[in-house]
Amino acid sequence: MTISMYAASAPRFVNMLRNLDAILAKAQDHAAAKKSDPAAPIGARDMRFKGLPYLVGFAWPNFYFHLVTAYNIPRHNGVDIGKTDYIGKP
């Protein structure tokens, strides 16, 4: 994969992150209103959460772990990306 392939994808990533922000905002509102106990399977056991603690303590950290990993893989492979590519420009 060449650097130009990554550069051409940059606007798509920005758009994707904007869409994810909107989805997460709606999910937080929904999680606060919904009375459920989602279960997250961890190995042989299920961890049970209330709606908002699940979102804040489990789902978001997992999402951001994978986001950072997706940022680090091209960087490790020599793509010239930096902090502003990760957090955006004002």
Side-chain angles (χ1 to χ4, degrees):
M1 214 177 253
T2 64
I3 293 176
S4 63
M5 291 175 68
Y6 286 106
S9 298
R12 293 173 64 196
F13 282 110
V14 170
N15 189 37
M16 176 193 68
L17 291 175
R18 283 191 193 121
N19 290 335
L20 286 172
D21 283 340
I23 290 168
L24 289 175
K26 288 181 182 180
Q28 184 175 11
D29 292 341
H30 180 71
K34 189 174 181 182
K35 305 296 182 205
S36 67
D37 295 335
I42 306 292
R45 65 188 177 114
D46 282 346
M47 293 179 63
R48 294 229 170 251
F49 297 91
K50 297 289 183 194
L52 189 58
Y54 168 76
L55 183 65
V56 174
F58 188 80
W60 277 352
N62 276 295
F63 168 76
Y64 282 109
F65 166 79
H66 288 91
L67 176 67
V68 169
T69 302
Y71 165 78
N72 286 332
I73 290 171
R75 189 172 173 154
H76 172 77
N77 289 318
V79 177
D80 187 24
I81 55 177
K83 185 177 181 179
T84 56
D85 297 307
Y86 176 70
I87 59 174
K89 297 175 185 170

